[in-house]
Amino acid sequence: MAEAVLEREPARKFDVVEVPRRGRVREGLRGYGLIVAMWIRSTMTYRTSFFLSVFGNAAIQMLDFIGIWIMFRHVDALGGFSLPEIALLYGSCSASLGLATLLLGNTDRVGVRVRDGSLDTMLVRPVPVLAQVAADRFALRRLGRIGQGLAVLGWAVSALDVDWSVGKALLVPVMIVAGAAIFAAVMVAGAAFQFVAGDAAEVQNSFTYGGNAMLQYPPTIFAQDLLRGVTFIVPLAFVNWLPALYVLGRPDPLGLPGWVAFLSPLVAFVVFLPASLAWRAGVRSYRSTGS
Amino acid sequence: MRLYLAVGAGGFRRYATYGTATAAGVFTNTVFGFIVAYTYIALWDERPGLGGYDQAQALTFVWVSQSLLAAGALIGGGFQEELQERVRTGDIAVDLYRPADLQMWWLAADLGRAAFQLAGRGVVPLAVGALAFRLALPADPLRWLLFLVSVVLGLTVSFALRYLLGLAAFWLMDGSGVNLMANVVAIFFSGVLLPLTVFPGGFGELVRSLPWSAMLQVPMDVLLGEHSGAGSAAGALGFQGVWACVLLGAGRLLQSAATRKVVVQGG
């Protein structure tokens, strides 16, 4: 950290740091990496505690899946989907959300930082605020959720009766990474909203964790209006529903053509634009509590 | 008694200060209510009468539990982290010098908090749920009264369990690990994840006899009229009462063991 601080004159005004565009991204990533490394070092000081919390994280998620398994003790299908099919949905969105929360999980603390004024410290450091907020208290224990998601996904892939083609096989990892990027964009937008709304972390969580809870289940059980909302407004359907429907060879309930399954990376890229604009507007509108 | 009422009122007011946070919480509970409601509709379409509930009862379960989650601190939150922090920093010594009982003090504060959460985060999600779906809410005021008694008993059981977690800090220093595990257990065994009546066989019976069942499942069944006879209702409330006494008693024992450990350092 210290060297990064010494490298350049401290910025005098928050939004007039004169660094070329590409340089800013590099600086951001570098700052992010340094902060993450610091948090990992601090986590590894208490190794037992760390492994316990990774396990605890995975266990929470596992009980969640056991809930679905108990449902299937009573029924053969939910919304027309079998248990392995739901496991495909469950595992993929769990892994995506896990990846997104690992990489920028504590963005929801922005509201608290706005309230107690500790965001001020971040604004005077020569690292983009978003990189600092994303790396804030980086929690490696979140590997637990990713691991659990991948485990369920692995079981689903082995239990499914799918005629695998190259396209379908490639779509699975793409779905996880693009899904994580979509969740990440939603997190950034939610964090930006907290500049306006103050301590409203739960609104952000209801789109990410709530979205995750919804994407675990097949789209066929939800109302059409809700499906339109999560396809065209907050495009969570591209996290896993649309790619997974293609893998399973099922039609989309909204009647979208099959090739939309491959649009997830593009959608992730597109949603980052409004999210990052909102973030900038949020940072500019920030007024310190001053105390 | 006046003292504890004042502490309770303080707990209420403290949470009432966070208007945006409450509004955000209402929004979240409502969003989750819709998601869970649709999954339950799919489940009960497939298996009508599952767990002894019809679909309207199952949906009532969804929306009333969304209204109780924050009050019962069933998915996290509550006072235990603050108590652990006070133990860690040593502020607990100040608490022990107060002319008030430590357990009663925190109970009053937590019930005050719960009362606010019940009003602030409970009413709106339930109203939205009742507008959007056909629920099986009772018309009988007596049953609502019984439900409220059952909710208060459930909140007490929830407090008593979390008080044990708070005291664990005397031995563990860092409570985040146990809090996490306790949370997992509470979500699974209280009925937040799935009504406990749906859990199969002997495992189901075991789950329904544990204290977590007193926190959500029992108040729910009282409201849904699963305990309509006087004897059955008394049995349900008695079950909660017994767990409340046992756990509060355990808390007292642990508390006296913990306070013997306290070493006050000057400085």
Side-chain angles (χ1 to χ4, degrees):
Chain A
M1 283 288 291
E3 23 176 350
V5 175
L6 289 174
E7 249 173 33
R8 214 178 39 225
E9 289 275 325
R12 279 180 200 83
K13 241 180 129 192
F14 306 141
D15 49 352
V16 205
V17 188
E18 293 296 339
V19 184
R21 190 77 200 110
R22 190 174 298 156
R24 267 192 61 135
V25 172
R26 248 190 56 201
E27 278 293 288
L29 287 176
R30 188 174 133 75
Y32 178 86
L34 286 169
I35 301 171
V36 164
M38 175 190 82
W39 283 110
I40 292 179
R41 269 204 305 280
S42 97
T43 310
M44 284 308 170
T45 319
Y46 302 102
R47 245 163 238 265
T48 320
S49 182
F50 166 72
F51 288 116
L52 276 177
S53 55
V54 171
F55 173 77
N57 244 280
I60 295 186
Q61 295 313 120
M62 217 54 224
L63 281 182
D64 192 36
F65 187 68
I66 289 174
I68 295 179
W69 181 78
I70 291 176
M71 287 184 183
F72 275 86
R73 295 278 306 227
H74 300 283
V75 297
D76 296 323
L78 207 58
F81 281 60
S82 67
L83 184 58
E85 286 178 308
I86 286 184
L88 177 71
L89 293 172
Y90 181 99
S92 57
C93 72
S94 194
S96 290
L97 182 67
L99 202 55
T101 53
L102 177 73
L103 294 179
L104 57 164
N106 283 319
T107 46
D108 62 353
R109 282 177 43 82
V110 167
V112 177
R113 288 193 173 276
V114 167
R115 197 179 69 209
D116 68 14
S118 59
L119 196 73
D120 291 9
T121 352
M122 293 186 160
L123 288 165
V124 295
R125 287 186 199 138
V127 173
V129 188
L130 184 58
Q132 295 183 56
V133 167
D136 189 18
R137 299 197 181 184
F138 182 86
L140 200 59
R141 63 165 187 280
R142 292 190 167 120
L143 286 172
R145 187 194 278 268
I146 303 175
Q148 183 266 355
L150 291 177
V152 172
L153 185 67
W155 176 76
V157 167
S158 70
L160 275 173
D161 187 21
V162 167
D163 189 13
W164 291 99
S165 63
V166 178
K168 284 181 179 180
L170 277 177
L171 202 51
V172 175
V174 167
M175 153 169 86
I176 290 166
V177 175
I182 294 172
F183 272 133
V186 172
M187 282 175 188
V188 171
F193 174 66
Q194 290 190 45
F195 281 103
V196 188
D199 197 357
E202 288 207 60
V203 172
Q204 187 178 356
N205 291 342
S206 63
F207 283 101
T208 50
Y209 292 92
N212 179 58
M214 181 175 70
L215 297 173
Q216 294 171 2
Y217 294 98
T220 45
I221 70 175
F222 295 100
Q224 291 268 321
D225 285 334
L226 190 67
L227 295 186
R228 280 189 203 102
V230 296
T231 307
F232 302 113
I233 300 172
V234 185
L236 293 175
F238 289 90
V239 169
N240 72 343
W241 270 350
L242 292 166
L245 287 174
Y246 179 84
V247 169
L248 297 173
R250 285 173 175 273
D252 169 50
L254 291 180
L256 296 176
W259 52 263
V260 294
F262 292 91
L263 290 184
S264 297
L266 185 68
V267 169
F269 184 72
V270 170
V271 288
F272 252 108
L273 292 176
S276 60
L277 286 178
W279 172 259
R280 276 189 201 194
V283 175
R284 284 206 183 144
S285 75
Y286 174 68
R287 294 279 173 275
S288 171
T289 49
S291 52
Chain B
M1 196 60 211
R2 284 245 318 264
L3 169 71
Y4 297 117
L5 276 176
V7 172
F12 185 96
R13 270 202 307 278
R14 181 174 160 196
Y15 282 85
T17 327
Y18 300 115
T20 353
T22 305
V26 166
F27 180 77
T28 308
N29 286 128
T30 311
V31 168
F32 271 89
F34 273 102
I35 294 167
V36 182
Y38 282 117
T39 63
Y40 279 23
I41 289 174
L43 191 59
W44 263 264
D45 270 348
E46 201 78 19
R47 268 294 298 272
L50 178 64
Y53 301 136
D54 61 28
Q55 197 174 78
Q57 284 178 313
L59 289 173
T60 312
F61 196 107
V62 173
W63 287 99
V64 177
S65 34
Q66 286 300 325
S67 298
L68 291 179
L69 289 184
L74 289 170
I75 46 171
F79 71 96
Q80 62 277 19
E81 284 154 21
E82 201 184 335
L83 177 55
Q84 285 161 352
E85 187 62 15
R86 290 188 77 80
V87 172
R88 204 179 60 77
T89 57
D91 288 343
I92 195 76
V94 182
D95 300 347
L96 290 170
Y97 268 112
R98 289 205 185 102
D101 178 70
L102 192 68
Q103 192 185 33
M104 284 297 289
W105 175 284
W106 285 103
L107 174 61
D110 194 52
L111 287 180
R113 177 199 62 81
F116 174 75
Q117 303 282 35
L118 206 54
R121 288 183 62 165
V123 176
V124 176
L126 183 57
V128 172
L131 283 175
F133 300 93
R134 199 174 63 80
L135 302 188
L137 293 169
D140 180 8
L142 183 70
R143 198 171 323 146
W144 280 100
L145 188 70
L146 273 179
F147 169 67
L148 270 184
V149 174
S150 181
V151 166
V152 173
L153 283 169
L155 293 174
T156 312
V157 171
S158 161
F159 163 81
L161 269 172
R162 286 177 293 121
Y163 191 66
L164 295 174
L165 287 182
L167 290 180
F170 277 100
W171 289 272
L172 295 174
M173 297 322 279
D174 175 38
S176 56
V178 263
N179 291 349
L180 187 72
M181 293 313 284
N183 221 355
V184 181
V185 171
I187 289 172
F188 191 75
F189 290 103
S190 63
V192 173
L193 198 59
L194 207 58
L196 300 184
T197 48
V198 172
F199 284 52
F203 180 60
E205 272 168 46
L206 171 73
V207 164
R208 287 187 290 274
S209 64
L210 297 175
W212 294 276
S213 153
M215 288 157 52
L216 184 68
Q217 182 67 42
V218 174
M220 227 53 197
D221 278 339
V222 168
L223 185 73
L224 293 172
E226 303 291 308
H227 301 290
S228 39
S232 174
L237 299 184
F239 169 78
Q240 293 180 294
V242 168
W243 270 122
C245 291
V246 168
L247 291 167
L248 286 174
R252 295 219 75 89
L253 284 178
L254 200 63
Q255 177 185 329
S256 57
T259 47
R260 275 199 298 274
K261 260 181 72 80
V262 174
V263 178
V264 180
Q265 307 198 28

